[in-house]
Amino acid sequence: MNQLNEQLRTLRLGHAAKGLEQQREQLSTYAELTFEERLSLLLESEVLGRSRARIERLKRQAKLRIDASPNQLIYKEDRGLKRIQLSELLTGSYLLKHQNILITGPTGAGKTYVACALATQACEQTYSVRYY
């Protein structure tokens, strides 16, 4: 069985190898599945793992100033953030239209946080981002 793990890693299927180890550890859970179902689970594990790794790589390469999350935005009236406008921006439609965003406001209003939150969301949608 170690040979199988080595073959998976040689083929750069590390997430599938981890999935196989999980199947071995929880044999009672996977014992009733057919070969095709177990193979499908391994391949799904590989696809999801690669997707997560790509998103993490994009976030690292973006060199964002702060780790901002779009779902932690605070929509206080004095900040001037409009929930409808930001939710539209978070969909990423402006990226498909090749449009830019200009964020303005007084000092301490949260411009950097909003910019980093939008960049994080773009990375989640597998767009390449760079913070300057």
Side-chain angles (χ1 to χ4, degrees):
M1 289 298 194
N2 287 336
Q3 182 182 6
L4 183 57
N5 273 349
E6 283 300 316
Q7 290 173 335
L8 287 171
R9 293 191 192 285
T10 301
L11 292 171
R12 298 181 187 215
L13 299 172
H15 301 289
K18 288 180 185 175
L20 181 61
E21 290 171 17
Q22 180 183 357
Q23 285 187 10
R24 286 182 187 147
E25 290 171 3
Q26 301 173 359
L27 197 55
S28 61
T29 305
Y30 297 98
E32 296 179 10
L33 298 177
T34 65
F35 171 77
E36 288 83 9
E37 291 171 331
R38 287 182 71 177
L39 181 60
S40 175
L41 288 172
L42 291 176
L43 295 177
E44 183 180 335
S45 173
E46 183 67 30
V47 169
L48 289 174
R50 286 184 182 198
S51 176
R52 279 190 304 253
R54 181 175 185 205
I55 290 169
E56 289 304 313
R57 186 184 78 247
L58 287 170
K59 287 180 182 179
R60 262 192 329 275
Q61 290 173 344
K63 296 188 177 183
L64 300 176
R65 189 168 167 192
I66 54 177
D67 187 25
S69 177
N71 58 5
Q72 293 180 342
L73 287 170
I74 299 170
Y75 297 95
K76 289 183 180 176
E77 192 169 318
D78 59 331
R79 291 185 74 193
L81 294 178
K82 297 177 181 142
R83 188 179 297 272
I84 295 170
Q85 188 178 30
L86 268 174
S87 64
E88 183 181 330
L89 291 173
L90 290 170
T91 64
S93 61
Y94 70 97
L95 296 168
L96 296 173
K97 297 174 188 174
H98 303 284
Q99 295 176 332
N100 297 318
I101 299 173
L102 182 61
I103 302 171
T104 61
T107 303
K111 299 178 295 291
T112 299
Y113 193 88
V114 170
C116 289
L118 288 170
T120 298
Q121 186 65 24
C123 289
E124 293 284 339
Q125 297 168 353
T126 66
Y127 286 100
S128 181
V129 175
R130 182 62 185 223
Y131 181 86
Y132 293 99

